[in-house]
Every structure is written in structure tokens, then in C-alpha cells.
Amino acid sequence: SQANNLYWDANFNIISTGLIFPKAFSLSHSFGRRERAARTLARLKAHAVSLLWIYRDWDASHNVEPGVGGLAAENCYKLLQELLYNLRAFLQTGTKTSEVIQQL
């Protein structure tokens, strides 16, 4: 300021590097975590669908009552639907895992 006769003449590149590089690194890291989480959720859903198909296409002709494969598929569908619904609700709460576990 002119009242105190203080002047600062610095290169803006030094300041911008110090501010922008950490932000860019943080953004990159956040997107990496998000992509890993999306891949994990996609894998979970794929395995859930695989389980459903196993029960749906189950050959119930050997030592099993007729229609049991269909009932198993319906039960499996309900359980998987409940699992995925609860997982979505859990991920949307924003609470920490330890807090949720303590509530159980």
C-alpha cells in the first residue's frame, strides 16, 4: 500500500503454479476414486444379474419339485432388489460407515 510504502512485485507464474497444481491433482484424484467406485458398483450389479439368471435358468428336472426354479428366481430377484435398494440408500445418506454400523 502507498500509505506504508510497501510494494510487492512478484511473478504471477509462481503463485498460479502453487495454487493451480494442487487443485488439478486433487480433481484428478477425486475423479479416479469416482471411477473406481463406479466400476465396483457395476461389477456388483453384474454379479447380481448373473445370480438372477442362474436361478431363472436353473434346470429343476433332477430331484427337485416342479416350479422350484421359478420360485427360487422370484426369491432371488426380491433379495437382490432389496440389497441394491438398501445399498443405494446407504450410499446416499452421507454418513460415515462406522456411524451406520453402530446404529445396527
Side-chain angles (χ1 to χ4, degrees):
S1 80
Q2 289 185 1
N4 296 329
N5 291 329
L6 295 174
Y7 296 98
W8 186 44
D9 186 22
N11 189 352
F12 183 70
N13 291 335
I14 294 171
I15 295 171
S16 65
T17 303
L19 295 175
I20 293 173
F21 178 73
K23 298 251 185 225
F25 181 74
S26 174
L27 258 161
S28 173
H29 186 68
S30 295
F31 277 114
R33 282 192 324 225
R34 182 177 180 267
E35 287 299 316
R36 282 193 306 274
R39 256 186 272 131
T40 302
L41 284 173
R43 234 180 284 136
L44 175 69
K45 288 172 82 175
H47 290 305
V49 169
S50 295
L51 278 173
L52 182 61
W53 286 346
I54 287 170
Y55 281 105
R56 184 194 68 186
D57 298 336
W58 185 7
D59 181 15
S61 62
H62 302 289
N63 299 326
V64 180
E65 296 178 24
V68 171
L71 290 175
E74 287 178 29
N75 290 338
C76 181
Y77 178 77
K78 289 175 186 175
L79 287 172
L80 292 174
Q81 189 177 27
E82 183 180 353
L83 171 71
L84 294 176
Y85 176 79
N86 288 332
L87 179 64
R88 180 174 37 160
F90 171 75
L91 293 175
Q92 290 177 344
T93 59
T95 58
K96 294 182 180 178
T97 306
S98 59
E99 294 173 5
V100 173
I101 290 174
Q102 288 175 357
Q103 292 175 359
L104 298 175

